[in-house]
Amino acid sequence: PDWRVLSTQGAIMDQLGRHADAQQFYQASLQLQPEDPGTLSNLGLSYALSNRLSEAEQTMRRAVARPGANARVRGNLALVLALQGKFRESEAEAAK
């Protein structure tokens, strides 16, 4: 299977509110394309939607640290930080 298809399937599951299923698709995608910043970002957002904010932050930080991480990935980290009340860190991340 193509890792991008698996990541897309995860995004669809998240949109349907099936976050546990989405996370399984993201993990499968990461098995084929380890540390892909887009997939890590999607996984982090899925954790946030599941109210697993600590895991969301850790995953988003991994995504931001990867080559190829873009402004969208950094914005998602800022969002997760804000959800935890870490507003200064969130603002600093959003300003990068």
Side-chain angles (χ1 to χ4, degrees), residues 35 37 40 58-69 73-74 77 93:
E35 300 298 303
L40 285 170
Q58 291 172 4
T59 304
M60 294 305 303
R61 288 191 185 280
R62 280 176 48 204
V64 167
R66 301 302 306 157
V73 174
R74 287 188 298 280
L77 173 58
E93 196 60 48

Side-chain angles (χ1 to χ4, degrees), residues 10-93:
I12 292 167
M13 291 294 108
D14 269 331
Q15 290 175 7
L16 295 173
R18 296 173 52 188
H19 307 303
D21 292 331
Q23 292 159 22
Q24 290 179 348
F25 278 110
Y26 296 136
Q27 294 291 355
S29 176
L30 289 167
Q31 291 293 317
L32 298 173
Q33 185 69 27
E35 300 298 303
D36 174 68
T39 303
L40 285 170
S41 180
N42 288 343
L43 177 59
L45 289 176
S46 185
Y47 286 148
L49 290 168
S50 301
N51 203 31
R52 297 165 59 185
L53 296 178
S54 177
E55 289 173 87
E57 180 182 349
Q58 291 172 4
T59 304
M60 294 305 303
R61 288 191 185 280
R62 280 176 48 204
V64 167
R66 301 302 306 157
N70 58 25
R72 183 185 65 84
V73 174
R74 287 188 298 280
N76 289 342
L77 173 58
L79 172 66
V80 168
L81 291 168
L83 289 172
Q84 295 179 87
K86 299 178 180 180
F87 299 113
R88 286 195 177 157
E89 286 180 70
S90 175
E91 289 175 358
E93 196 60 48

